[in-house]
Amino acid sequence: MKYELFKLSDEEKQKSRDLFKQWTISNAIAEYIHTTSIFADRFYSHILVIEWLLNGENFDALIKKERDFHRLTSLNDKLKKIRKQSGIFSGMYDYISSLNKARHCIVHNAGYVANQHLNRHDSLELKWKRMAIILTSPDGESVEIDKPMHVAEGGSLGIRFVETSLIFKQGESINITLKDLHDLLGFAQIDIGSMRQSFDAFLDRLAGEKGIEKEKRSDGRYYWPFAEIRRSDMV
């Protein structure tokens, strides 16, 4: 004899699927915000260490700056501080606030937009950027494509990042698709890579101001001898 703890109607099963989907999406957004905040902490620490190696700032002052930065609770505030300190800008800066509101709405209010979630007059606007594939025809006309298609001779394909938004009125339920989440996190990943490249340019600028040149390792790769320079100053 087969025993069943409980039976669910088709409607109840679908509701459970929808709730699990929203829970998965909200956790993905929350995890992105959390891990990017950790990345920002380490990124800022690297900036401070490089400046200390080059400028000889008091080490205790550096530790205090790092501690104060880690105490910031807003990821936006951390990214703003990084930009002020180094000129390195995150492309996600303008979108994190709305993502956090959406996450809070899903986690704490079953996905229904309440007054505290609004970032417009009567609604929550969720914004991000997504990667779009653009087909340009031989006569210069451009159109976004989302499926395989024939490209006429002389045409070209390119990639463009397009700002996307969803607007949810107060009282409405937030509906973020897995495709939306994929696009959002895809741009976020590219943004992290862009910040790392900007950090290299930041090193180049600081080194250039000090007249420091890269040195070649035995394996053929180049590096900045910042640590050696600081160590010689301390002897």
Side-chain angles (χ1 to χ4, degrees):
M1 181 177 181
K2 183 178 180 181
Y3 292 92
E4 294 185 14
L5 182 62
F6 55 83
K7 291 184 178 181
L8 295 176
S9 66
D10 290 342
E11 182 180 351
E12 289 172 325
K13 290 177 181 178
Q14 187 58 49
K15 184 177 180 180
S16 296
R17 293 189 190 99
D18 292 342
L19 288 173
F20 180 75
K21 172 187 170 184
Q22 291 299 84
W23 176 83
T24 302
I25 290 174
S26 65
N27 273 278
I29 295 174
E31 190 67 19
Y32 160 70
I33 293 173
H34 175 66
T35 55
T36 305
S37 184
I38 294 174
F39 169 79
D41 288 342
R42 295 177 178 175
F43 197 89
Y44 188 74
S45 296
H46 278 72
I47 291 172
L48 291 179
V49 168
I50 293 299
E51 291 186 339
W52 172 71
L53 290 170
L54 290 177
N55 300 327
E57 183 179 5
N58 181 275
F59 192 74
D60 290 336
L62 179 146
I63 294 300
K64 183 180 184 305
K65 283 184 178 181
E66 183 180 52
R67 187 182 298 117
D68 291 343
F69 184 87
H70 288 188
R71 286 173 177 167
L72 294 174
T73 57
S74 166
L75 177 54
N76 263 18
D77 288 343
K78 290 185 176 184
L79 296 177
K80 185 177 180 180
K81 183 76 173 178
I82 287 174
R83 185 177 187 181
K84 183 178 179 181
Q85 186 85 12
S86 65
I88 298 173
F89 176 72
S90 167
M92 285 296 294
Y93 178 81
D94 294 329
Y95 308 109
I96 288 172
S97 178
S98 71
L99 292 178
N100 206 29
K101 280 184 175 292
R103 184 205 66 82
H104 190 277
C105 174
I106 294 171
V107 172
H108 300 289
N109 208 44
Y112 288 94
V113 178
N115 184 66
Q116 64 266 30
H117 306 128
L118 305 182
N119 57 6
R120 291 160 52 106
H121 173 64
D122 61 348
S123 58
L124 166 62
E125 182 179 21
L126 177 59
K127 298 192 298 182
W128 69 93
K129 279 189 175 181
R130 62 180 177 81
M131 185 172 65
I133 300 177
I134 306 298
L135 169 63
T136 303
S137 64
D139 59 6
E141 182 181 355
S142 296
V143 61
E144 181 180 347
I145 61 174
D146 58 2
K147 58 184 178 181
M149 63 183 300
H150 174 72
V151 179
E153 185 177 354
S156 63
L157 291 175
I159 293 175
R160 183 183 304 165
F161 289 98
V162 180
E163 185 171 279
T164 304
S165 68
L166 295 172
I167 297 177
F168 305 99
K169 296 284 188 181
Q170 186 171 354
E172 289 183 347
S173 175
I174 285 184
N175 181 25
I176 304 173
T177 68
L178 292 176
K179 173 67 165 58
D180 294 334
L181 182 66
H182 178 272
D183 290 342
L184 186 162
L185 296 180
F187 175 72
Q189 183 178 17
I190 292 172
D191 181 59
I192 293 295
S194 177
M195 288 185 68
R196 293 176 63 182
Q197 291 178 351
S198 296
F199 185 76
D200 291 339
F202 170 72
L203 292 181
D204 290 344
R205 176 172 61 82
L206 288 185
E209 291 172 357
K210 294 290 183 179
I212 301 172
E213 296 182 357
K214 288 183 178 179
E215 295 186 3
K216 192 173 184 179
R217 288 191 176 127
S218 57
D219 60 5
R221 292 186 298 174
Y222 288 86
Y223 73 102
W224 291 111
F226 294 147
E228 286 79 359
I229 292 169
R230 179 62 176 153
R231 194 177 298 117
S232 64
D233 291 342
M234 297 172 68
V235 173

